[in-house]
Amino acid sequence: MPSNMSVPFLDLGAAYLELKDDLDAAYHRVMDSGWFILGKEVEAFEREFAAYCEAAHCVGVGNGLEALHLILRAYGIGPGDEVIVPANTYIATWLAVSYAGATPIPVEPDARTYNLDPALIEAAITPATRAILPVHLYGQPADMDPIKALASRYGLKVIEDAAQAHGARYHGRRVGGLGDAAGFSFYPGKNLGALGDGGAVVTNDADLAERVRVLRNYGSRVKYHNEVKGFNSRLDELQAALLRVKLPVLDAWNERRRAAAARYLDGLAGSELGLPYVPKWAEPVWHLFVVRHPQRDALQQRLQQAGIGTMIHYPIPPHLQPAYAELGYGAGAFPISEAIHREVLSLPMGPQLTAAQQGRVLGRMVSDIRPNSAA
């Protein structure tokens, strides 16, 4: 194995080449059809993805942020309402709440899983609370049963942010059908990624699905007849066709991610790195493999110098972003989340990550970090 082998964080080119013939055929099928918006490809993908998620309905939309936003709008959540969100997440989760006109109320994560801590939610509920929006972060499902039990007691909606968790299971059940509705992203780097932006709402609520269908298309069921003030947020025919090629291989590609995660966990055991924790009830799909280190930035720089790509998901928590300065949260408001954001580092991960590439990553990291004296 070459000692100077470079390892990309994620190789989307290799993913395309693996499915090139089928993806190219899907492209030509759409081009030859002459129909590019809300046609047969979107309808077919919606049926197929709903079935994959073990849910009744899927509505294709423009991206994952708009999927969450349209769910909130369709439930009538808006100004004066509050939505409980994780303090530890990508800002899109919060933005969806803001776009609806509601206020995001952050709650700290479980320090082991990095997902929303069910034990801390009740203290954040007020008379203005309308929904809880857990995120299945890094591809690992949040602990949904206690969240749903709490929501039922207070009459709240549960909306899953499943943007990173296509195919993950919780107590054997697919994410996407665990709450009242779920928002998915098909950003190219996701486990099920398009070749551009795309998203979907998945739900067992037929009324909600129909409201989202109207909202995504200018508030219209019939062309030029607008029932409500809607939006332009539609999964296009080309992306739907490409996603239909990728969906049948999603489980196999997720299994490759699981195998890669197992190699990382084995190879990095006993090191000073903080490694992912997986509860017995969770079947993650390893959208990201995230480790923690108190000198994260220096570690990332050394790996970069060695030709190993990494990323930080995410360097600044939402409550400390200038975009949310008006909420008045300062440093120290959410110490668990802030510590996570200071220390996390995402290692190369993806279904096209080769054993040789991963061996290069592990070899470099084992030589670069000290053994854990407690191990």
Side-chain angles (χ1 to χ4, degrees), residues 42 64 73 110 136 168 176 199 204 207 215 237 252 267 294 307 309 311 349 368:
V42 170
R73 290 273 186 173
D110 181 315
H136 304 308
N204 289 309
D207 291 338
L215 285 170
E237 285 288 281
M311 289 191 70
M349 171 56 76
D368 202 44

Side-chain angles (χ1 to χ4, degrees), residues 224-294:
Y224 303 133
H225 179 74
N226 304 89
E227 304 169 28
V228 296
K229 297 180 182 70
F231 304 86
N232 177 9
S233 181
R234 302 171 298 200
L235 179 66
D236 68 66
E237 285 288 281
L238 179 57
Q239 299 304 337
L242 299 172
L243 288 166
R244 292 184 67 202
V245 173
K246 288 188 161 187
L247 182 57
V249 303
L250 176 57
D251 283 344
W253 282 15
N254 282 343
E255 283 303 318
R256 294 187 201 173
R257 289 174 179 269
R258 291 188 178 102
R263 289 193 293 269
Y264 273 139
L265 290 168
D266 181 62
L268 297 173
S271 75
E272 65 179 355
L273 290 171
L275 298 178
Y277 168 79
V278 180
K280 292 181 179 179
W281 41 258
E283 295 178 42
V285 290
W286 299 101
H287 172 61
L288 300 171
F289 189 91
V290 179
V291 298
R292 289 179 69 173
H293 192 279

Side-chain angles (χ1 to χ4, degrees), residues 292-313:
R292 289 179 69 173
H293 192 279
Q295 286 81 46
R296 182 267 314 280
D297 293 342
L299 175 60
Q300 183 183 40
Q301 185 175 15
R302 291 194 296 271
L303 291 172
Q304 181 179 358
Q305 291 169 348
I308 295 171
T310 62
M311 289 191 70
I312 298 171
H313 297 86

Side-chain angles (χ1 to χ4, degrees), residues 21 79 92 101 106-107 135 184 194 225 232 237 240 246 254 267 269 344 358 373:
D21 290 345
V107 169
V135 179
F184 283 88
H225 179 74
N232 177 9
E237 285 288 281
K246 288 188 161 187
N254 282 343
V344 290
Q358 194 171 16
S373 59

